[in-house]
Amino acid sequence: MPELPEVESLTHFLRERAVGRTILGVDVVAFQALKTFDPPVTALGGLTVTGVSRHGKFLDLDCDGVHLVIHLARAGWLRWREDLSGAKPVRPGKGPLAVRVRLAPDDEGLAPGFELTEAGTQKRLAVYVTKNPDDVPGVAALGPDPLDESFTVDALKRIVGGNRTQIKGLLRDQKIIAGIGNAYSDEVLHAAKMSPFKIAATLTDAQIADLHEAIVATLREAVERAHGLAAKDLKAEKKSGLRVHNRTGQPCDVCGDTIREVSFADSSLQYCPTCQTGGKPLADRRLSRLLK
């Protein structure tokens, strides 16, 4: 799933390539992906992309005041095309293509654009056309952005105070903190040397400070690694930079212990017992606690 660092990089990528260009049209192939009807998607035709921004994991293209808001969900991705002038008309089908955005030709006659694709059978990629991004339910409900200056240690302390949620679940909850998903929550907790099943409300002031540093540093480092990369290279960069996530059975880069995996909610998590749980493995069952 694309998370804050990848979406931030896609934001910069599109800002450099799409801003100032006129939209020729938006072709919706997977009708379930379009979540709004007013304004209609056809209203984007003829408008100019004036800005690109990010809200948590949401991409936001401002087109003369009409916003094309995109959420790539778990298996979605954005593919930039240097020339779509020869692209075949798209029809609804079983392929991965969900939406195609066509831009006006450049001075060389190339008509660039991008395609939104989604692998797998669970189609959750979402596209919204709106005059106000805050009208998108997921955007309106977002918690603070962890890369914003307002996300301080005190702000995190207020978030975790009295919260009986396991810290792994808290980090993934977009209504609490925006932009962190399954992968980077694993990375953050490894950097903070914290058990994913630790109850948020039990964190000491020192642990909150360590967690804050781990959140900000992990995300900023990932953003820096991804900066300037083409959209097609972001997935590989993300994978190469992960220390624990999706590395089950491999040695921890910090201590050499074997990285373990347990179920968590609707997915799984990876962690290092030595670095995070005092050397004790977590029971592989949902809502598990440390084995005694």
Side-chain angles (χ1 to χ4, degrees), residues 87-140:
K88 296 180 180 179
V90 289
R91 296 180 179 179
K94 298 181 180 180
L97 182 60
V99 177
R100 175 183 287 164
V101 178
R102 296 176 284 110
L103 302 176
D106 57 21
D107 294 338
E108 298 179 356
L110 299 179
F114 60 87
E115 296 174 337
L116 304 178
T117 61
E118 186 172 24
T121 58
Q122 295 185 352
K123 303 301 184 181
R124 298 179 180 176
L125 184 146
V127 174
Y128 308 81
V129 181
T130 178
K131 293 182 178 179
N132 184 354
D134 288 336
D135 289 339
V136 176
V139 172

Side-chain angles (χ1 to χ4, degrees), residues 241-271:
L242 298 175
R243 293 187 174 184
V244 290
H245 185 74
N246 275 349
R247 293 191 59 206
T248 303
Q250 298 180 38
C252 171
D253 290 343
V254 175
C255 71
D257 195 359
T258 301
I259 294 171
R260 308 287 185 95
E261 176 178 316
V262 293
S263 299
F264 185 85
D266 59 348
S267 56
S268 61
L269 64 84
Q270 288 80 43
Y271 71 101

Side-chain angles (χ1 to χ4, degrees), residues 3 9 23 33 54-55 72 97 121 140 146 150 169 174 190 208 227 235 244 256 261 279:
E3 300 179 33
S9 185
I23 294 180
R54 176 184 62 79
H55 314 282
L72 295 169
L97 182 60
T121 58
S150 64
Q174 301 304 296
H190 180 255
I208 293 173
H227 183 71
K235 288 184 179 181
V244 290
E261 176 178 316

Side-chain angles (χ1 to χ4, degrees), residues 118-187:
E118 186 172 24
T121 58
Q122 295 185 352
K123 303 301 184 181
R124 298 179 180 176
L125 184 146
V127 174
Y128 308 81
V129 181
T130 178
K131 293 182 178 179
N132 184 354
D134 288 336
D135 289 339
V136 176
V139 172
L142 288 173
D145 192 293
L147 294 186
D148 191 271
E149 292 183 358
S150 64
F151 185 74
T152 62
V153 174
D154 287 340
L156 181 59
K157 186 175 181 179
R158 290 191 292 271
I159 289 171
V160 302
N163 195 315
R164 301 301 300 175
T165 304
Q166 293 168 330
I167 195 65
K168 167 75 176 182
L170 182 145
L171 290 176
R172 289 181 56 188
D173 190 334
Q174 301 304 296
K175 296 179 181 179
I176 296 178
I177 301 175
I180 303 174
N182 195 35
Y184 286 107
S185 58
D186 282 352
E187 298 300 299

Side-chain angles (χ1 to χ4, degrees), residues 267-286:
S267 56
S268 61
L269 64 84
Q270 288 80 43
Y271 71 101
C272 170
T274 296
C275 291
Q276 297 175 250
T277 59
K280 299 178 180 179
L282 295 168
D284 193 5
R285 62 178 182 272
R286 294 174 188 256

